[in-house]
């Protein structure tokens, strides 16, 4: 497999998933502004969407959209239990979490990365995000991870969104379950490996 990524972007989620799955893969860095790979090739020629993540499969096919990619990764290493079996009621719960994170967190973060938008507009989206994080904090009560005691691929996605929250100065200090969850996920060795590979580890 080949993961096209940009450091700290939403591609961190499948990067973590690949590490947790123990699947060999190549990491290919993308300059999202220039739409170029490090060897100068045009990224749009590989992925016409021009976005990350994209996952090149061994059969030559290309998958895009993070929520789909992480399920493919989980299904490629079923012994790691990164997703319940396809068609099970628990699998639909996992998909519910992936869709919630994609639509209610990920997309509400997008305006915060736009320099042209006013501080007032960004404050609106920050307030909206905080309400979504409050919901997740309540859902995590008594749970180690989103699906219970087992780390699954939505956890990689949520952890990435929590990294964005910290980067954008979003205050989640009043959400103890979420804070404990972030520390728990961050401490996982494979998460640390993915962060290190992207140059995202903080100096101690």
């Amino acid at each position: 497999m080949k993961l096209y990524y940009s450091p700290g972007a939403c591609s961190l989620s499948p990067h973590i998933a690949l590490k947790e799955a123990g699947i060999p893969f190549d990491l290919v860095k993308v300059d999202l502004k220039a739409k170029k790979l490090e060897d100068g090739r045009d990224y749009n020629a590989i992925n016409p969407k021009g976005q990350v993540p994209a996952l090149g499969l061994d059969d030559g096919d290309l998958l895009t959209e993070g929520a789909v990619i992480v399920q493919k990764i989980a299904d490629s290493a079923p012994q790691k239990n990164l997703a319940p079996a396809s068609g099970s009621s628990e699998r639909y719960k996992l998909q519910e979490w992936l869709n919630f994170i994609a639509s209610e967190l990920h997309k509400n973060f997008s305006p915060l990365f736009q320099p042209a938008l006013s501080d007032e507009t960004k404050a609106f989206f920050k307030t909206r995000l905080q309400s979504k994080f409050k919901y997740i904090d309540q859902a995590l009560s008594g749970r180690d991870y989103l699906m219970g005691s087992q780390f699954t691929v939505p956890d990689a996605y949520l952890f990435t969104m929590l990294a964005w929250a910290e980067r954008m100065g979003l205050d989640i200090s009043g959400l103890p379950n979420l804070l404990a969850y972030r520390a728990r996920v961050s401490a996982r060795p494979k998460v640390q490996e993915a962060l290190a590979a992207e140059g995202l580890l903080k100096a101690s």
Side-chain angles (χ1 to χ4, degrees), residues 105 109 126-141 158 161-162 165 170-184:
L105 292 182
F109 265 111
K126 282 187 175 182
T127 299
R128 177 179 282 183
L129 281 163
Q130 283 174 317
S131 72
K132 306 302 180 184
F133 278 124
K134 183 177 180 181
Y135 164 75
I136 298 174
D137 181 76
Q138 294 167 347
L140 283 169
S141 179
L158 177 56
M161 295 299 100
L162 287 168
L170 205 68
D171 183 13
I172 61 168
S173 60
L175 304 176
N177 295 325
L178 204 54
L179 290 173
Y181 168 88
R182 182 174 66 183
R184 188 178 302 117

Side-chain angles (χ1 to χ4, degrees), residues 162-163 166-167 182 186 192 195-196 199-204:
L162 287 168
E166 186 174 13
R167 190 192 315 175
R182 182 174 66 183
S186 179
Q192 288 288 302
L195 292 171
L200 299 174
L201 282 184
K202 296 176 182 176
S204 56

Side-chain angles (χ1 to χ4, degrees), residues 92-107:
Y92 294 119
K93 286 290 185 184
L94 177 136
Q95 291 172 334
E96 184 180 355
W97 273 120
L98 286 172
N99 284 334
F100 180 84
I101 296 167
S103 61
E104 301 298 330
L105 292 182
H106 192 166
K107 289 306 177 187

Side-chain angles (χ1 to χ4, degrees), residues 10 12-18 20 66-75 80-84 90-102 105-106 133 136 140 143-148 150-163 178 181-182 185 188 191:
C10 52
L12 176 61
S13 168
H15 190 176
I16 290 170
L18 283 163
E20 291 280 354
V68 174
I69 290 172
V70 294
Q71 290 183 77
K72 170 62 177 177
I73 293 167
D75 289 338
K80 297 293 186 177
N81 298 314
L82 293 172
E90 285 299 293
R91 181 58 169 255
Y92 294 119
K93 286 290 185 184
L94 177 136
Q95 291 172 334
E96 184 180 355
W97 273 120
L98 286 172
N99 284 334
F100 180 84
I101 296 167
L105 292 182
H106 192 166
F133 278 124
I136 298 174
L140 283 169
R143 295 182 172 207
D144 288 338
Y145 301 106
L146 288 172
M147 295 291 290
Q150 174 68 39
F151 178 94
T152 57
V153 288
D155 294 304
Y157 200 177
L158 177 56
F159 178 77
T160 301
M161 295 299 100
L162 287 168
L178 204 54
Y181 168 88
R182 182 174 66 183
V185 176
R188 294 180 67 86
V191 173

